[in-house]
Amino acid sequence: MAPHDPVPSDLPTGGTPALVDFDVDLTSQEVLRRAQVMEALGPDWDPVEVLLGEEAAYDLLYSGLDAEQQRLYDELVSAGVLPARGDGRAAS
């Protein structure tokens, strides 16, 4: 097995390798990726419906809290860990 030689033997005078232009068109790849995402989502995907469903899920998640859970929820909202919902209190 030949020893590893990281310096090519065909260097120009001075021993510095010549720079080579290297271009990658990421725009075409991004367009392709976005088209594939939209195809995977399908024609029935409704982003507004999805967002409303997420909001309803959060409302349900923070509903029916007992006093201690409400206190903790209020602390998390005031600390900026959770966003305030509605009037700033969990739904009952």
Side-chain angles (χ1 to χ4, degrees):
M1 180 176 244
H4 176 68
D5 186 6
V7 180
S9 59
D10 60 344
L11 290 178
T13 308
T16 305
L19 296 178
V20 177
D21 286 338
F22 184 75
D23 294 325
V24 176
D25 183 4
L26 295 177
T27 305
S28 65
Q29 291 298 315
E30 180 62 13
V31 169
L32 177 61
R33 184 193 68 80
R34 288 182 184 198
Q36 291 170 336
V37 166
M38 294 307 294
E39 182 179 342
L41 290 171
D44 298 329
W45 181 67
D46 182 357
V48 174
E49 183 179 332
V50 170
L51 182 58
L52 292 174
E54 287 179 3
E55 289 298 318
Y58 280 118
D59 288 342
L60 184 59
L61 177 65
Y62 297 117
S63 67
L65 303 180
D66 64 26
E68 178 62 16
Q69 292 168 331
Q70 184 66 53
R71 183 193 63 73
L72 183 57
Y73 171 84
D74 293 339
E75 282 185 27
L76 292 173
V77 168
S78 66
V81 175
L82 292 174
R85 304 192 60 78
D87 62 0
R89 308 223 6 116
S92 54

